[in-house]
Amino acid sequence: MIQQLFSEGKSFSNFPFRVIYLEPEKQSSLLQAAFSVSSKNFKKAVDRNRIKRLMRESYRLQKKSLQAILEEDDKSLSIFFIYTGNEIPTYNNVSEKIGEILNSLEKLFLQKN
């Protein structure tokens, strides 16, 4: 699935994130997400894991409206979040940017209808 996401998916950037998304044909769940942090920028696994935890928690708290839109249209979506910054962010920064990204995806799906 991830290979398909990278080969066929569309992407956009909202610094410090790069987002790749794809509407797969058949998928068991409405919304799937994956998170990645470059080991090139963060040598210590502790730092990479902290950033991924921040990203996952922020996403978990803000995904409900996008999930509702997908459920309404009977569509599914796979999203891959890549953190491209080179400093460990605060939770507030991550939460704000993830919110902006999810709002962009919501607008994208509302325009398609």
Side-chain angles (χ1 to χ4, degrees):
M1 185 68 207
I2 291 178
Q3 194 173 27
Q4 182 184 13
L5 186 65
F6 278 95
S7 63
E8 299 172 22
K10 296 177 182 158
S11 67
F12 64 91
S13 292
N14 186 345
F15 187 80
F17 292 101
R18 179 168 162 73
V19 180
I20 303 169
Y21 64 96
L22 177 68
E23 290 180 69
E25 292 300 315
K26 45 188 182 269
Q27 186 171 302
S28 58
S29 61
L30 289 174
L31 197 52
Q32 286 185 329
F35 304 89
S36 176
V37 179
S38 171
S39 59
K40 185 173 118 184
N41 295 338
F42 297 96
K43 302 295 183 205
K44 296 180 183 175
V46 174
D47 295 337
R48 293 192 302 273
N49 292 338
R50 168 129 179 95
I51 295 168
K52 286 188 275 190
R53 272 197 310 276
L54 294 173
M55 291 164 61
R56 281 193 298 265
E57 181 64 9
S58 177
Y59 169 77
R60 182 186 71 82
L61 293 173
Q62 299 182 55
K63 70 180 180 181
K64 290 174 182 60
S65 58
L66 179 59
Q67 215 167 13
I69 291 170
L70 292 171
E71 202 170 296
E72 202 174 279
D73 298 339
D74 196 32
K75 292 187 178 182
S76 58
L77 182 65
S78 296
I79 311 170
F80 199 96
F81 294 90
I82 302 170
Y83 183 77
T84 58
N86 53 13
E87 294 181 1
I88 298 174
T90 64
Y91 175 74
N92 291 335
N93 290 345
V94 171
S95 181
E96 180 184 321
K97 292 296 183 176
I98 295 282
E100 290 174 12
I101 290 166
L102 293 176
N103 285 337
S104 298
L105 289 169
E106 287 172 23
K107 288 176 186 171
L108 187 81
F109 276 89
L110 288 174
Q111 287 175 354
K112 286 185 178 182
N113 296 338

